Amino acid sequence: KPLGDGIFWIQERFYESGNRANIWLVRGSQRDVVIDAGLGLRSLPEYLRAAGLLPPAEGPSPRPLLAVATHVHFDHSVVDAPSLESFEVHAGWGFETHGLVGGVPAQGRRWNWMVLRVPSNPNLSQSIYRINVCFPVTHFPAGDVISLGDRQLTVMHMPGHSRGSICLHDKDRKILFSGDVVYDGSMIDWLPYSRVSDYVASCQRLMELVDRGLVEKVLPGHFNIFGAERLYRLASNYIAQAGVCHKVSTCAMRSLASIALRITNSRVSS
């Protein structure tokens, strides 16, 4: 879906809708960037070429394409190994880089039960679909600026949902690509590498961005686009409810999630 100003909103049709992540293609005058690349149910560069968003692979001067993972959870990571030939792959923070290369608890496991039907990919079947780790990967330090030519994206380290979660901020256009740091839904802080105190600090930074008039539109990792007022409300609501009871319940949920992952992993390995 074209949003104008060189931004395209992409989703994978064959994945369970409640967990379906957003893929953002941002086009610049010198190079393009894919922000989060989904599950790899289909080769993303192949799709982008078919949709006319990338020049043909056999063209005389292929357009540089950068892939940035806001974090390494399986629904956002660059996992389609053949597509890596077309990508310059980056993650936002050191912890996330390690996860993409070496794998994190949710990586390298079978999630085929969330795939609704088999995509038109002769090399992929629902029964054998597996999330893979990828390489090579480098990372952007916090505060680094990704230049696409006529637009600049600033890397903001925003831990909480995961240790290395980032947002990408287009200051000139006042657009925030927020990954899973914030979206218009219940914010998840009970995964094995989540931390409530980090999340509170990140939400405070989000509120400051709104107070300073630096964000007008949020393009999140899930669900719909929203504006500055909604961003402020989501962040402030999280801070307001992140008390002792919330922290206790989060610890309990994290323990249950860790147990569920161990059970899933043991079934896969057997």
Side-chain angles (χ1 to χ4, degrees):
K1 179 180 179 179
L3 301 181
D5 199 20
I7 299 176
F8 297 84
W9 185 0
I10 302 165
Q11 291 183 321
E12 292 171 302
R13 293 186 299 147
F14 301 98
Y15 189 59
E16 196 280 317
S17 60
N19 293 327
R20 185 181 296 144
N22 295 325
I23 300 169
W24 305 103
L25 172 66
V26 184
R27 306 203 67 185
S29 60
Q30 296 180 6
R31 63 174 176 172
D32 305 331
V33 62
V34 169
I35 301 172
D36 290 339
L39 289 160
L41 297 180
R42 177 178 176 183
S43 168
L44 190 54
E46 177 187 277
Y47 167 76
L48 294 175
R49 293 189 190 99
L53 299 175
L54 286 181
E58 63 275 8
S61 56
R63 186 177 178 85
L65 181 61
L66 177 70
V68 177
T70 61
H71 61 301
V72 301
H73 291 159
F74 68 95
D75 49 341
H76 297 263
S77 303
V78 180
V79 295
D80 177 24
S83 74
L84 297 182
E85 299 174 2
S86 305
F87 280 129
E88 178 185 348
V89 185
H90 295 260
W93 198 250
F95 295 120
E96 307 297 287
T97 304
H98 174 76
L100 279 176
V101 175
V104 293
Q107 300 288 103
R109 309 304 181 193
R110 287 181 183 174
W111 294 86
N112 50 302
W113 58 277
M114 291 185 179
V115 179
L116 295 178
R117 54 196 172 110
V118 182
S120 55
N121 183 339
N123 299 316
L124 178 66
S125 68
Q126 187 174 26
S127 62
I128 65 170
Y129 175 68
R130 181 187 293 269
I131 296 165
N132 300 308
V133 297
C134 68
F135 59 88
V137 182
T138 58
H139 79 276
F140 291 113
D144 203 358
V145 176
I146 304 169
S147 177
L148 305 181
D150 60 344
R151 66 195 313 157
Q152 318 298 319
L153 303 176
T154 302
V155 178
M156 305 182 71
H157 181 212
M158 293 282 199
H161 178 73
S162 73
R163 292 181 296 180
S165 286
I166 64 166
C167 297
L168 296 178
H169 185 208
D170 186 335
K171 292 182 179 179
D172 294 336
R173 295 166 177 82
K174 299 184 179 182
I175 295 173
L176 186 72
F177 297 91
S178 65
D180 278 5
V181 175
V182 61
Y183 47 78
D184 201 352
S186 179
M187 292 154 69
I188 295 176
D189 59 4
W190 43 261
L191 294 170
Y193 294 108
S194 303
R195 182 178 294 176
V196 174
S197 58
D198 286 343
Y199 224 145
V200 168
S202 292
C203 284
Q204 289 171 339
R205 293 182 65 196
L206 292 172
M207 292 168 65
E208 290 172 5
L209 289 174
V210 176
D211 285 337
R212 295 165 59 192
L214 297 177
V215 173
E216 293 181 353
K217 183 184 295 185
V218 181
L219 277 57
H222 294 274
F223 311 125
N224 292 320
I225 298 167
F226 54 92
E229 182 178 348
R230 184 62 178 161
L231 172 60
Y232 193 94
R233 187 177 305 164
L234 289 167
S236 61
N237 285 349
Y238 180 85
I239 293 172
Q241 55 88 42
V244 174
C245 291
H246 177 75
K247 290 178 181 178
V248 170
S249 64
T250 295
C251 288
M253 286 294 296
R254 186 180 297 120
S255 298
L256 289 173
S258 297
I259 293 170
L261 281 171
R262 285 198 293 270
I263 292 173
T264 301
N265 295 346
S266 64
R267 288 176 177 173
V268 170
S269 60
S270 61

